[in-house]
C-alpha cells in the first residue's frame, strides 16, 4: 500500500476520516454483500455498521469494468469557498484497489471535477497499471465530458488543467472517459464531500 504525505502532522479531522475509511473497507471485505448507506456512514458509522445484515440496497449498484480494464469513478464538489475531490478504482472482479480524497486548491465544482480526473490519472500512472490494464474514467458531469471530447467547447479559465489531462491520458494510453449517473457514483461522491474537510489530499492503492 502506498500513500502520499507532505508532512508528518495529522489533524483531528483527517484522523477521523482515515479511521472511518479503513473501517468501511474492513467491514466491506468481511461481508462482501453488505451494502451500507454511504451518506449515513460518514455522519454516523455506528448506526450503519450496527446492523450489518441489512437488506438489499435499493440504489443502483456500480458495475465492474470489462475484462482487461480498470474503472475509476470520480467526483468533484464545492461548498462556499471550499472544494473537494474523490475517486475510487475497481478492477474487473469488482474489488476496490485505489482511492483518493482531499481538498482542491481552487473554486467551483467544475474545477474540482477536473482535479478529480487529473488525480485519477496520476494515481493510475503512479501505481504502474497502464501496461497491464486499460483505464475507464467515469464522471457524472456531462459538461466536463464535453470539454474533454471537444476542445472547441473548453473555457479558457480551465485550459491549463485540461491540457494536463490530455497530456497524461496520452502518456497512459487507452483511456476512455464515460458518463455515469450520480446514483451509481455514490462512493466517489462521498469521498469528494469528505475531501472538503481534510487539509491534505489522501491517495492510496494496493
Amino acid at each position: 500500500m502506498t500513500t502520499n504525505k507532505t508532512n508528518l502532522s495529522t489533524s483531528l479531522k483527517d484522523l477521523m476520516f482515515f479511521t472511518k475509511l479503513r473501517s468501511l473497507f474492513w467491514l466491506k471485505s468481511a461481508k462482501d454483500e453488505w451494502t451500507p448507506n454511504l451518506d449515513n456512514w460518514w455522519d454516523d458509522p455506528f448506526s450503519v455498521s450496527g446492523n450489518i445484515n441489512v437488506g438489499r440496497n435499493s440504489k443502483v449498484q456500480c458495475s465492474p469494468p470489462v475484462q482487461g480494464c480498470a474503472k475509476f469513478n470520480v467526483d468533484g464538489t464545492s461548498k462556499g469557498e471550499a472544494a473537494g475531490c474523490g475517486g475510487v478504482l475497481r478492477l474487473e472482479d469488482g474489488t476496490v484497489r485505489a482511492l483518493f480524497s482531499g481538498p482542491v486548491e481552487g473554486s467551483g465544482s467544475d474545477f474540482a471535477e477536473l482535479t478529480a480526473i487529473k488525480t485519477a490519472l496520476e494515481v493510475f500512472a503512479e501505481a504502474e497499471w497502464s501496461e497491464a490494464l486499460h483505464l475507464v474514467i467515469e464522471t457524472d458531469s456531462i459538461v466536463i465530458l464535453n470539454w474533454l471530447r471537444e476542445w472547441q467547447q473548453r473555457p479558457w479559465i480551465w485550459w491549463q488543467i485540461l491540457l494536463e489531462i490530455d497530456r497524461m491520458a496520452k502518456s497512459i494510453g487507452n483511456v476512455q472517459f464515460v458518463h455515469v449517473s450520480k446514483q451509481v457514483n455514490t462512493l466517489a461522491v462521498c469521498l469528494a464531500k469528505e475531501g472538503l474537510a481534510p487539509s491534505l489530499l489522501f491517495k492510496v492503492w494496493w
Side-chain angles (χ1 to χ4, degrees):
M1 183 171 70
T2 305
T3 59
N4 73 322
K5 296 183 289 185
T6 57
N7 59 47
L8 297 179
S9 64
T10 302
S11 69
L12 180 59
K13 288 183 179 180
D14 289 345
L15 183 61
M16 290 297 295
F17 168 70
F18 297 149
T19 301
K20 291 178 183 178
L21 191 62
R22 290 176 65 89
S23 300
L24 173 63
F25 280 98
W26 183 85
L27 288 170
K28 186 63 177 173
S29 63
K31 197 170 184 63
D32 187 61
E33 65 270 23
W34 180 53
T35 54
N37 183 311
L38 294 174
D39 292 323
N40 293 341
W41 172 265
W42 299 109
D43 294 331
D44 186 4
F46 182 77
S47 67
V48 178
S49 60
N51 184 19
I52 195 169
N53 292 317
V54 295
R56 294 181 179 178
N57 196 327
S58 60
K59 293 183 178 180
V60 180
Q61 297 299 307
C62 179
S63 61
V66 299
Q67 186 176 3
C69 292
K71 184 168 66 175
F72 232 130
N73 287 82
V74 300
D75 189 65
T77 189
S78 63
K79 185 177 181 180
E81 296 183 355
C85 67
V88 54
L89 180 139
R90 294 178 177 86
L91 299 186
E92 59 192 54
D93 60 357
T95 58
V96 173
R97 291 296 302 276
L99 55 86
F100 65 87
S101 176
V104 173
E105 294 183 0
S107 61
S109 58
D110 286 340
F111 183 72
E113 192 86 23
L114 289 170
T115 302
I117 293 172
K118 178 174 174 287
T119 305
L121 291 168
E122 290 173 347
V123 170
F124 191 77
E126 291 171 9
E128 299 181 346
W129 286 324
S130 58
E131 294 184 3
L133 297 168
H134 301 319
L135 177 62
V136 176
I137 295 182
E138 290 188 341
T139 170
D140 54 39
S141 174
I142 296 178
V143 172
I144 298 298
L145 279 179
N146 288 337
W147 293 350
L148 292 171
R149 295 170 177 171
E150 301 291 339
W151 64 268
Q152 298 94 333
Q153 299 186 29
R154 297 180 174 183
W156 283 104
I157 189 173
W158 307 136
W159 195 264
Q160 184 58 44
I161 189 171
L162 283 161
L163 286 180
E164 292 177 12
I165 290 173
D166 289 343
R167 178 185 57 79
M168 287 189 291
K170 183 177 180 180
S171 176
I172 292 172
N174 297 311
V175 178
Q176 183 181 7
F177 300 101
V178 177
H179 178 259
V180 66
S181 67
K182 192 174 287 291
Q183 286 76 13
V184 299
N185 209 29
T186 308
L187 183 52
V189 171
C190 289
L191 289 169
K193 290 180 179 178
E194 287 302 308
L196 293 166
S199 57
L200 296 174
L201 176 68
F202 172 76
K203 298 189 293 184
V204 62
W205 58 87
W206 55 93

